[in-house]
Amino acid sequence: MGALDECYYNVELQNGVSFGDCIEPETMVIEDSVRVLLQGLGEDINREGLRKTPLRVAKALREGTRGYNQNVKDIVSCALFPEAGLESKVGHAGGAGGLVIVRDLDFFSYCESCLLPFQVKCHIGYIPSGQRVVGLSKLSRVADVFAKRLQDPDRLANEICASLQQSIKPAGVAVVLQCSHIDFPDFQSAIFDPNHQGWVKTSFKSGSGVFNDDKADVWTDFFSLLKFRNLNAGVMNSRGLICKSWKMGSSDPAMLSAVSSIICSLGEDPSRKELLETPTRFLNWLMYFKNCKLDMKLNGFVRNGNFGLSVEEQHICSVVNLPFWSQCEHHLLPFHGVVHIGYYGSNRVINPVGKSLLQSLVHFYGFKLQVQERLTRQIAESVSSVLGEDVMVVVEANHTCMISRGIEKFGSSTATIAVLGKFSTDPTARAKFLQVIPNMS
């Protein structure tokens, strides 16, 4: 096969690659696997919103696992600097005891148990020895090497710690990770539990050298310098992420094989013990968003619009904080948040049954491959058919794609608005409804 045959050229063809782009074989395998997954969801892989999804997913996964091709020794070897006085403890870097800490390093990593990204806030400390210190930016780069692999957070902390101990040879290394993983153990809790949290937060630590002893004074110093980060030794644990307890179920063999092919293309061995159940867990999540083509049932919902009401009897009503879950069709990554609905009605407050039906409507449009803009419009149009044409819908969401894919904008959120009827022409009405919306946590 010639060089041109080994490259994947396209001129705005099906996968949207521009002329001259060269796609690596591993990326092509992931693309093909993603097409199998999309077809297994009942989707049309040629529709506009999904046409480039296989390539986007492949690029994101390859970027998010680039650590397999990086070497810690190459990063650290050129960044060790002499610092006189370290051994005599006179005027040395780090002050008395020599402790140096870099805090609040934000990363994301792909969970090896379910292939979903999880967020990591990393704190690294070390005590220099041998009259040398390491460039501070290298601590972040070393941590990123191991984060950009399929990971378990406990192992991630241990690998960062061991690697720094070996490459820097300090008196000791301490690593603390604060991890946030999406929490979606079953379909029922997401729909019926109003207090269901979107993320589960866990913390892990690892120590070497003088940090080997969990009760050593150096750990007290370390956590004292992290106290403003709401961390202390008592909140550490060593259990895996929440997805390991997800219920396992049967899945399509072709889709399972596709996920295994993706894992292999990232540089991992799908037969590794920790990865054996990963395809099933990932599919259990993904199949929640299968295109079932269900009908939205609104039988018995009493229309509560402004028909027959005088202007004086009409006022803005609201139903806020209706939770939803969805899956981004561009990257096959989850997003979730809350929906707020405003409408004109009488002084009568919407009853619990009506609110339950609105929540069902939100879930109906949420549980499918989506984009937030479309989701907002669809909810508004459906609500207008039962609550009257004067409707405003606000959707607030956190998107996993914003913490991964090289974007890594941690803490960001997205708000979208759809307005119909009076809300589209009356800025005062829009402002009044927006004031009712609580602050998003």
Side-chain angles (χ1 to χ4, degrees), residues 124-158:
I124 301 174
Y126 80 103
I127 296 180
S129 67
Q131 296 195 359
R132 59 182 182 177
V133 296
V134 66
L136 297 179
S137 66
K138 305 308 178 184
L139 299 179
S140 176
R141 290 191 60 191
V142 169
D144 190 57
V145 167
F146 293 103
K148 295 303 180 289
R149 300 177 182 183
L150 300 186
Q151 275 292 5
D152 170 86
D154 196 24
R155 189 177 74 245
L156 175 59
N158 290 334

PDB file of all heavy atoms in Angstrom, residues 124-158:
ATOM      1  N   ILE A 124      -0.166  18.652  44.254  1.00  0.00           N
ATOM      2  CA  ILE A 124       1.085  17.900  44.340  1.00  0.00           C
ATOM      3  C   ILE A 124       2.054  18.619  45.262  1.00  0.00           C
ATOM      4  O   ILE A 124       2.254  19.830  45.146  1.00  0.00           O
ATOM      5  CB  ILE A 124       1.737  17.728  42.957  1.00  0.00           C
ATOM      6  CG1 ILE A 124       0.791  16.989  41.997  1.00  0.00           C
ATOM      7  CG2 ILE A 124       3.062  16.982  43.063  1.00  0.00           C
ATOM      8  CD1 ILE A 124       1.318  16.908  40.581  1.00  0.00           C
ATOM      9  N   GLY A 125       2.650  17.856  46.181  1.00  0.00           N
ATOM     10  CA  GLY A 125       3.689  18.410  47.043  1.00  0.00           C
ATOM     11  C   GLY A 125       4.910  17.510  47.032  1.00  0.00           C
ATOM     12  O   GLY A 125       4.802  16.290  46.849  1.00  0.00           O
ATOM     13  N   TYR A 126       6.084  18.112  47.205  1.00  0.00           N
ATOM     14  CA  TYR A 126       7.300  17.291  47.328  1.00  0.00           C
ATOM     15  C   TYR A 126       8.303  18.035  48.199  1.00  0.00           C
ATOM     16  O   TYR A 126       8.231  19.267  48.354  1.00  0.00           O
ATOM     17  CB  TYR A 126       7.886  16.949  45.959  1.00  0.00           C
ATOM     18  CG  TYR A 126       8.706  18.037  45.309  1.00  0.00           C
ATOM     19  CD1 TYR A 126      10.110  17.980  45.304  1.00  0.00           C
ATOM     20  CD2 TYR A 126       8.097  19.124  44.683  1.00  0.00           C
ATOM     21  CE1 TYR A 126      10.868  18.977  44.702  1.00  0.00           C
ATOM     22  CE2 TYR A 126       8.842  20.123  44.079  1.00  0.00           C
ATOM     23  CZ  TYR A 126      10.230  20.044  44.092  1.00  0.00           C
ATOM     24  OH  TYR A 126      10.982  21.030  43.503  1.00  0.00           O
ATOM     25  N   ILE A 127       9.225  17.283  48.781  1.00  0.00           N
ATOM     26  CA  ILE A 127      10.306  17.862  49.582  1.00  0.00           C
ATOM     27  C   ILE A 127      11.609  17.649  48.820  1.00  0.00           C
ATOM     28  O   ILE A 127      12.045  16.507  48.633  1.00  0.00           O
ATOM     29  CB  ILE A 127      10.373  17.212  50.973  1.00  0.00           C
ATOM     30  CG1 ILE A 127       9.089  17.519  51.747  1.00  0.00           C
ATOM     31  CG2 ILE A 127      11.592  17.727  51.736  1.00  0.00           C
ATOM     32  CD1 ILE A 127       9.046  16.921  53.132  1.00  0.00           C
ATOM     33  N   PRO A 128      12.206  18.716  48.320  1.00  0.00           N
ATOM     34  CA  PRO A 128      13.422  18.583  47.509  1.00  0.00           C
ATOM     35  C   PRO A 128      14.565  17.939  48.292  1.00  0.00           C
ATOM     36  O   PRO A 128      14.649  18.035  49.515  1.00  0.00           O
ATOM     37  CB  PRO A 128      13.764  20.035  47.146  1.00  0.00           C
ATOM     38  CG  PRO A 128      12.488  20.794  47.330  1.00  0.00           C
ATOM     39  CD  PRO A 128      11.783  20.113  48.458  1.00  0.00           C
ATOM     40  N   SER A 129      15.443  17.289  47.565  1.00  0.00           N
ATOM     41  CA  SER A 129      16.667  16.722  48.150  1.00  0.00           C
ATOM     42  C   SER A 129      17.738  16.730  47.071  1.00  0.00           C
ATOM     43  O   SER A 129      17.462  16.998  45.896  1.00  0.00           O
ATOM     44  CB  SER A 129      16.437  15.302  48.675  1.00  0.00           C
ATOM     45  OG  SER A 129      16.187  14.413  47.605  1.00  0.00           O
ATOM     46  N   GLY A 130      18.955  16.415  47.467  1.00  0.00           N
ATOM     47  CA  GLY A 130      20.041  16.372  46.490  1.00  0.00           C
ATOM     48  C   GLY A 130      20.362  17.732  45.917  1.00  0.00           C
ATOM     49  O   GLY A 130      20.937  17.833  44.831  1.00  0.00           O
ATOM     50  N   GLN A 131      19.997  18.796  46.642  1.00  0.00           N
ATOM     51  CA  GLN A 131      20.249  20.170  46.207  1.00  0.00           C
ATOM     52  C   GLN A 131      19.721  20.443  44.797  1.00  0.00           C
ATOM     53  O   GLN A 131      20.370  21.066  43.969  1.00  0.00           O
ATOM     54  CB  GLN A 131      21.753  20.486  46.273  1.00  0.00           C
ATOM     55  CG  GLN A 131      22.316  20.448  47.685  1.00  0.00           C
ATOM     56  CD  GLN A 131      23.684  21.095  47.790  1.00  0.00           C
ATOM     57  OE1 GLN A 131      24.241  21.574  46.806  1.00  0.00           O
ATOM     58  NE2 GLN A 131      24.235  21.113  48.997  1.00  0.00           N
ATOM     59  N   ARG A 132      18.481  19.976  44.560  1.00  0.00           N
ATOM     60  CA  ARG A 132      17.880  20.282  43.266  1.00  0.00           C
ATOM     61  C   ARG A 132      16.362  20.366  43.411  1.00  0.00           C
ATOM     62  O   ARG A 132      15.749  19.676  44.215  1.00  0.00           O
ATOM     63  CB  ARG A 132      18.251  19.247  42.210  1.00  0.00           C
ATOM     64  CG  ARG A 132      17.843  17.830  42.549  1.00  0.00           C
ATOM     65  CD  ARG A 132      18.297  16.877  41.473  1.00  0.00           C
ATOM     66  NE  ARG A 132      17.880  15.513  41.743  1.00  0.00           N
ATOM     67  CZ  ARG A 132      18.110  14.493  40.924  1.00  0.00           C
ATOM     68  NH1 ARG A 132      18.746  14.706  39.780  1.00  0.00           N
ATOM     69  NH2 ARG A 132      17.695  13.278  41.228  1.00  0.00           N
ATOM     70  N   VAL A 133      15.808  21.263  42.622  1.00  0.00           N
ATOM     71  CA  VAL A 133      14.355  21.429  42.561  1.00  0.00           C
ATOM     72  C   VAL A 133      13.938  21.232  41.114  1.00  0.00           C
ATOM     73  O   VAL A 133      14.757  21.290  40.192  1.00  0.00           O
ATOM     74  CB  VAL A 133      13.914  22.825  43.060  1.00  0.00           C
ATOM     75  CG1 VAL A 133      14.243  23.006  44.535  1.00  0.00           C
ATOM     76  CG2 VAL A 133      14.536  23.934  42.210  1.00  0.00           C
ATOM     77  N   VAL A 134      12.633  21.000  40.909  1.00  0.00           N
ATOM     78  CA  VAL A 134      12.118  20.776  39.565  1.00  0.00           C
ATOM     79  C   VAL A 134      11.266  21.969  39.147  1.00  0.00           C
ATOM     80  O   VAL A 134      10.615  22.617  39.985  1.00  0.00           O
ATOM     81  CB  VAL A 134      11.274  19.476  39.514  1.00  0.00           C
ATOM     82  CG1 VAL A 134      10.017  19.605  40.345  1.00  0.00           C
ATOM     83  CG2 VAL A 134      10.936  19.103  38.078  1.00  0.00           C
ATOM     84  N   GLY A 135      11.305  22.293  37.871  1.00  0.00           N
ATOM     85  CA  GLY A 135      10.445  23.360  37.369  1.00  0.00           C
ATOM     86  C   GLY A 135       8.988  23.065  37.686  1.00  0.00           C
ATOM     87  O   GLY A 135       8.495  21.961  37.417  1.00  0.00           O
ATOM     88  N   LEU A 136       8.293  24.026  38.265  1.00  0.00           N
ATOM     89  CA  LEU A 136       6.942  23.780  38.774  1.00  0.00           C
ATOM     90  C   LEU A 136       5.973  23.342  37.678  1.00  0.00           C
ATOM     91  O   LEU A 136       5.073  22.535  37.924  1.00  0.00           O
ATOM     92  CB  LEU A 136       6.419  25.035  39.480  1.00  0.00           C
ATOM     93  CG  LEU A 136       7.209  25.470  40.712  1.00  0.00           C
ATOM     94  CD1 LEU A 136       6.622  26.748  41.311  1.00  0.00           C
ATOM     95  CD2 LEU A 136       7.241  24.360  41.756  1.00  0.00           C
ATOM     96  N   SER A 137       6.133  23.860  36.485  1.00  0.00           N
ATOM     97  CA  SER A 137       5.216  23.488  35.404  1.00  0.00           C
ATOM     98  C   SER A 137       5.338  22.003  35.057  1.00  0.00           C
ATOM     99  O   SER A 137       4.394  21.404  34.529  1.00  0.00           O
ATOM    100  CB  SER A 137       5.479  24.335  34.157  1.00  0.00           C
ATOM    101  OG  SER A 137       6.764  24.058  33.614  1.00  0.00           O
ATOM    102  N   LYS A 138       6.509  21.412  35.371  1.00  0.00           N
ATOM    103  CA  LYS A 138       6.707  19.998  35.045  1.00  0.00           C
ATOM    104  C   LYS A 138       5.838  19.100  35.919  1.00  0.00           C
ATOM    105  O   LYS A 138       5.467  17.989  35.507  1.00  0.00           O
ATOM    106  CB  LYS A 138       8.177  19.615  35.197  1.00  0.00           C
ATOM    107  CG  LYS A 138       9.131  20.482  34.388  1.00  0.00           C
ATOM    108  CD  LYS A 138       8.740  20.568  32.925  1.00  0.00           C
ATOM    109  CE  LYS A 138       9.687  21.480  32.158  1.00  0.00           C
ATOM    110  NZ  LYS A 138       9.274  21.671  30.753  1.00  0.00           N
ATOM    111  N   LEU A 139       5.508  19.540  37.123  1.00  0.00           N
ATOM    112  CA  LEU A 139       4.613  18.755  37.964  1.00  0.00           C
ATOM    113  C   LEU A 139       3.258  18.600  37.288  1.00  0.00           C
ATOM    114  O   LEU A 139       2.655  17.530  37.291  1.00  0.00           O
ATOM    115  CB  LEU A 139       4.455  19.428  39.333  1.00  0.00           C
ATOM    116  CG  LEU A 139       5.726  19.590  40.161  1.00  0.00           C
ATOM    117  CD1 LEU A 139       5.410  20.302  41.467  1.00  0.00           C
ATOM    118  CD2 LEU A 139       6.378  18.244  40.427  1.00  0.00           C
ATOM    119  N   SER A 140       2.782  19.695  36.700  1.00  0.00           N
ATOM    120  CA  SER A 140       1.510  19.646  35.984  1.00  0.00           C
ATOM    121  C   SER A 140       1.603  18.762  34.755  1.00  0.00           C
ATOM    122  O   SER A 140       0.696  17.972  34.464  1.00  0.00           O
ATOM    123  CB  SER A 140       1.085  21.067  35.584  1.00  0.00           C
ATOM    124  OG  SER A 140      -0.096  21.046  34.810  1.00  0.00           O
ATOM    125  N   ARG A 141       2.712  18.856  34.039  1.00  0.00           N
ATOM    126  CA  ARG A 141       2.857  18.079  32.813  1.00  0.00           C
ATOM    127  C   ARG A 141       2.957  16.586  33.097  1.00  0.00           C
ATOM    128  O   ARG A 141       2.413  15.766  32.360  1.00  0.00           O
ATOM    129  CB  ARG A 141       4.089  18.556  32.037  1.00  0.00           C
ATOM    130  CG  ARG A 141       3.937  19.941  31.425  1.00  0.00           C
ATOM    131  CD  ARG A 141       5.070  20.240  30.462  1.00  0.00           C
ATOM    132  NE  ARG A 141       5.103  19.285  29.366  1.00  0.00           N
ATOM    133  CZ  ARG A 141       6.101  19.177  28.492  1.00  0.00           C
ATOM    134  NH1 ARG A 141       7.169  19.961  28.627  1.00  0.00           N
ATOM    135  NH2 ARG A 141       6.054  18.290  27.522  1.00  0.00           N
ATOM    136  N   VAL A 142       3.650  16.238  34.184  1.00  0.00           N
ATOM    137  CA  VAL A 142       3.746  14.819  34.550  1.00  0.00           C
ATOM    138  C   VAL A 142       2.368  14.284  34.920  1.00  0.00           C
ATOM    139  O   VAL A 142       1.980  13.180  34.510  1.00  0.00           O
ATOM    140  CB  VAL A 142       4.735  14.632  35.711  1.00  0.00           C
ATOM    141  CG1 VAL A 142       4.635  13.216  36.280  1.00  0.00           C
ATOM    142  CG2 VAL A 142       6.166  14.896  35.240  1.00  0.00           C
ATOM    143  N   ALA A 143       1.628  15.036  35.709  1.00  0.00           N
ATOM    144  CA  ALA A 143       0.282  14.600  36.092  1.00  0.00           C
ATOM    145  C   ALA A 143      -0.603  14.428  34.864  1.00  0.00           C
ATOM    146  O   ALA A 143      -1.399  13.479  34.778  1.00  0.00           O
ATOM    147  CB  ALA A 143      -0.335  15.607  37.062  1.00  0.00           C
ATOM    148  N   ASP A 144      -0.446  15.314  33.893  1.00  0.00           N
ATOM    149  CA  ASP A 144      -1.274  15.248  32.689  1.00  0.00           C
ATOM    150  C   ASP A 144      -0.953  14.018  31.856  1.00  0.00           C
ATOM    151  O   ASP A 144      -1.845  13.460  31.205  1.00  0.00           O
ATOM    152  CB  ASP A 144      -1.072  16.521  31.855  1.00  0.00           C
ATOM    153  CG  ASP A 144      -2.070  16.625  30.717  1.00  0.00           C
ATOM    154  OD1 ASP A 144      -3.282  16.609  31.000  1.00  0.00           O
ATOM    155  OD2 ASP A 144      -1.647  16.710  29.548  1.00  0.00           O
ATOM    156  N   VAL A 145       0.298  13.571  31.867  1.00  0.00           N
ATOM    157  CA  VAL A 145       0.669  12.359  31.120  1.00  0.00           C
ATOM    158  C   VAL A 145      -0.176  11.184  31.579  1.00  0.00           C
ATOM    159  O   VAL A 145      -0.710  10.412  30.768  1.00  0.00           O
ATOM    160  CB  VAL A 145       2.170  12.046  31.300  1.00  0.00           C
ATOM    161  CG1 VAL A 145       2.480  10.630  30.812  1.00  0.00           C
ATOM    162  CG2 VAL A 145       3.017  13.047  30.535  1.00  0.00           C
ATOM    163  N   PHE A 146      -0.323  11.029  32.891  1.00  0.00           N
ATOM    164  CA  PHE A 146      -1.068   9.884  33.415  1.00  0.00           C
ATOM    165  C   PHE A 146      -2.574  10.118  33.381  1.00  0.00           C
ATOM    166  O   PHE A 146      -3.345   9.160  33.268  1.00  0.00           O
ATOM    167  CB  PHE A 146      -0.595   9.562  34.828  1.00  0.00           C
ATOM    168  CG  PHE A 146       0.819   9.068  34.876  1.00  0.00           C
ATOM    169  CD1 PHE A 146       1.846   9.902  35.285  1.00  0.00           C
ATOM    170  CD2 PHE A 146       1.124   7.776  34.473  1.00  0.00           C
ATOM    171  CE1 PHE A 146       3.162   9.451  35.311  1.00  0.00           C
ATOM    172  CE2 PHE A 146       2.423   7.313  34.492  1.00  0.00           C
ATOM    173  CZ  PHE A 146       3.458   8.151  34.907  1.00  0.00           C
ATOM    174  N   ALA A 147      -2.995  11.373  33.461  1.00  0.00           N
ATOM    175  CA  ALA A 147      -4.423  11.664  33.356  1.00  0.00           C
ATOM    176  C   ALA A 147      -4.941  11.367  31.962  1.00  0.00           C
ATOM    177  O   ALA A 147      -6.095  10.940  31.790  1.00  0.00           O
ATOM    178  CB  ALA A 147      -4.696  13.127  33.715  1.00  0.00           C
ATOM    179  N   LYS A 148      -4.093  11.561  30.963  1.00  0.00           N
ATOM    180  CA  LYS A 148      -4.518  11.337  29.584  1.00  0.00           C
ATOM    181  C   LYS A 148      -4.319   9.878  29.179  1.00  0.00           C
ATOM    182  O   LYS A 148      -3.650   9.543  28.198  1.00  0.00           O
ATOM    183  CB  LYS A 148      -3.757  12.280  28.641  1.00  0.00           C
ATOM    184  CG  LYS A 148      -4.088  13.744  28.866  1.00  0.00           C
ATOM    185  CD  LYS A 148      -5.581  14.003  28.711  1.00  0.00           C
ATOM    186  CE  LYS A 148      -5.950  15.461  28.926  1.00  0.00           C
ATOM    187  NZ  LYS A 148      -5.840  15.895  30.307  1.00  0.00           N
ATOM    188  N   ARG A 149      -4.876   9.008  29.985  1.00  0.00           N
ATOM    189  CA  ARG A 149      -4.949   7.576  29.720  1.00  0.00           C
ATOM    190  C   ARG A 149      -6.257   7.084  30.315  1.00  0.00           C
ATOM    191  O   ARG A 149      -6.882   7.789  31.124  1.00  0.00           O
ATOM    192  CB  ARG A 149      -3.766   6.831  30.367  1.00  0.00           C
ATOM    193  CG  ARG A 149      -2.397   7.297  29.873  1.00  0.00           C
ATOM    194  CD  ARG A 149      -1.255   6.586  30.581  1.00  0.00           C
ATOM    195  NE  ARG A 149       0.038   7.098  30.121  1.00  0.00           N
ATOM    196  CZ  ARG A 149       1.218   6.643  30.515  1.00  0.00           C
ATOM    197  NH1 ARG A 149       1.271   5.628  31.391  1.00  0.00           N
ATOM    198  NH2 ARG A 149       2.340   7.163  30.064  1.00  0.00           N
ATOM    199  N   LEU A 150      -6.711   5.908  29.922  1.00  0.00           N
ATOM    200  CA  LEU A 150      -7.867   5.334  30.600  1.00  0.00           C
ATOM    201  C   LEU A 150      -7.453   5.075  32.044  1.00  0.00           C
ATOM    202  O   LEU A 150      -6.460   4.390  32.291  1.00  0.00           O
ATOM    203  CB  LEU A 150      -8.308   4.037  29.923  1.00  0.00           C
ATOM    204  CG  LEU A 150      -8.730   4.143  28.454  1.00  0.00           C
ATOM    205  CD1 LEU A 150      -9.282   2.798  27.972  1.00  0.00           C
ATOM    206  CD2 LEU A 150      -9.755   5.244  28.245  1.00  0.00           C
ATOM    207  N   GLN A 151      -8.225   5.611  32.991  1.00  0.00           N
ATOM    208  CA  GLN A 151      -7.728   5.632  34.359  1.00  0.00           C
ATOM    209  C   GLN A 151      -8.767   5.243  35.406  1.00  0.00           C
ATOM    210  O   GLN A 151      -9.982   5.324  35.175  1.00  0.00           O
ATOM    211  CB  GLN A 151      -7.218   7.046  34.706  1.00  0.00           C
ATOM    212  CG  GLN A 151      -5.792   7.323  34.299  1.00  0.00           C
ATOM    213  CD  GLN A 151      -4.778   6.502  35.094  1.00  0.00           C
ATOM    214  OE1 GLN A 151      -5.111   5.638  35.907  1.00  0.00           O
ATOM    215  NE2 GLN A 151      -3.498   6.755  34.837  1.00  0.00           N
ATOM    216  N   ASP A 152      -8.239   4.829  36.529  1.00  0.00           N
ATOM    217  CA  ASP A 152      -8.947   4.722  37.800  1.00  0.00           C
ATOM    218  C   ASP A 152      -8.287   5.765  38.707  1.00  0.00           C
ATOM    219  O   ASP A 152      -7.050   5.878  38.714  1.00  0.00           O
ATOM    220  CB  ASP A 152      -8.766   3.322  38.385  1.00  0.00           C
ATOM    221  CG  ASP A 152      -9.279   3.232  39.814  1.00  0.00           C
ATOM    222  OD1 ASP A 152     -10.481   2.981  39.991  1.00  0.00           O
ATOM    223  OD2 ASP A 152      -8.464   3.421  40.735  1.00  0.00           O
ATOM    224  N   PRO A 153      -9.056   6.548  39.457  1.00  0.00           N
ATOM    225  CA  PRO A 153      -8.456   7.664  40.199  1.00  0.00           C
ATOM    226  C   PRO A 153      -7.440   7.248  41.247  1.00  0.00           C
ATOM    227  O   PRO A 153      -6.450   7.950  41.475  1.00  0.00           O
ATOM    228  CB  PRO A 153      -9.667   8.359  40.838  1.00  0.00           C
ATOM    229  CG  PRO A 153     -10.745   7.347  40.828  1.00  0.00           C
ATOM    230  CD  PRO A 153     -10.520   6.510  39.617  1.00  0.00           C
ATOM    231  N   ASP A 154      -7.662   6.105  41.892  1.00  0.00           N
ATOM    232  CA  ASP A 154      -6.707   5.639  42.886  1.00  0.00           C
ATOM    233  C   ASP A 154      -5.370   5.317  42.217  1.00  0.00           C
ATOM    234  O   ASP A 154      -4.298   5.697  42.706  1.00  0.00           O
ATOM    235  CB  ASP A 154      -7.277   4.408  43.599  1.00  0.00           C
ATOM    236  CG  ASP A 154      -6.540   4.100  44.883  1.00  0.00           C
ATOM    237  OD1 ASP A 154      -5.934   5.021  45.457  1.00  0.00           O
ATOM    238  OD2 ASP A 154      -6.575   2.935  45.321  1.00  0.00           O
ATOM    239  N   ARG A 155      -5.445   4.630  41.079  1.00  0.00           N
ATOM    240  CA  ARG A 155      -4.217   4.312  40.350  1.00  0.00           C
ATOM    241  C   ARG A 155      -3.573   5.581  39.799  1.00  0.00           C
ATOM    242  O   ARG A 155      -2.347   5.713  39.763  1.00  0.00           O
ATOM    243  CB  ARG A 155      -4.500   3.335  39.209  1.00  0.00           C
ATOM    244  CG  ARG A 155      -3.209   2.821  38.560  1.00  0.00           C
ATOM    245  CD  ARG A 155      -3.434   1.795  37.482  1.00  0.00           C
ATOM    246  NE  ARG A 155      -3.952   2.368  36.260  1.00  0.00           N
ATOM    247  CZ  ARG A 155      -5.149   2.113  35.755  1.00  0.00           C
ATOM    248  NH1 ARG A 155      -5.958   1.279  36.382  1.00  0.00           N
ATOM    249  NH2 ARG A 155      -5.551   2.670  34.633  1.00  0.00           N
ATOM    250  N   LEU A 156      -4.390   6.535  39.365  1.00  0.00           N
ATOM    251  CA  LEU A 156      -3.859   7.788  38.842  1.00  0.00           C
ATOM    252  C   LEU A 156      -3.004   8.496  39.888  1.00  0.00           C
ATOM    253  O   LEU A 156      -1.898   8.963  39.596  1.00  0.00           O
ATOM    254  CB  LEU A 156      -5.017   8.685  38.395  1.00  0.00           C
ATOM    255  CG  LEU A 156      -4.653  10.095  37.919  1.00  0.00           C
ATOM    256  CD1 LEU A 156      -3.689  10.039  36.742  1.00  0.00           C
ATOM    257  CD2 LEU A 156      -5.918  10.867  37.538  1.00  0.00           C
ATOM    258  N   ALA A 157      -3.505   8.576  41.123  1.00  0.00           N
ATOM    259  CA  ALA A 157      -2.738   9.214  42.194  1.00  0.00           C
ATOM    260  C   ALA A 157      -1.430   8.470  42.437  1.00  0.00           C
ATOM    261  O   ALA A 157      -0.358   9.082  42.596  1.00  0.00           O
ATOM    262  CB  ALA A 157      -3.570   9.267  43.473  1.00  0.00           C
ATOM    263  N   ASN A 158      -1.502   7.151  42.453  1.00  0.00           N
ATOM    264  CA  ASN A 158      -0.296   6.351  42.712  1.00  0.00           C
ATOM    265  C   ASN A 158       0.729   6.486  41.588  1.00  0.00           C
ATOM    266  O   ASN A 158       1.941   6.547  41.843  1.00  0.00           O
ATOM    267  CB  ASN A 158      -0.671   4.876  42.886  1.00  0.00           C
ATOM    268  CG  ASN A 158      -1.428   4.620  44.180  1.00  0.00           C
ATOM    269  OD1 ASN A 158      -1.286   5.358  45.152  1.00  0.00           O
ATOM    270  ND2 ASN A 158      -2.264   3.582  44.183  1.00  0.00           N
TER     271      ASN A 158
END
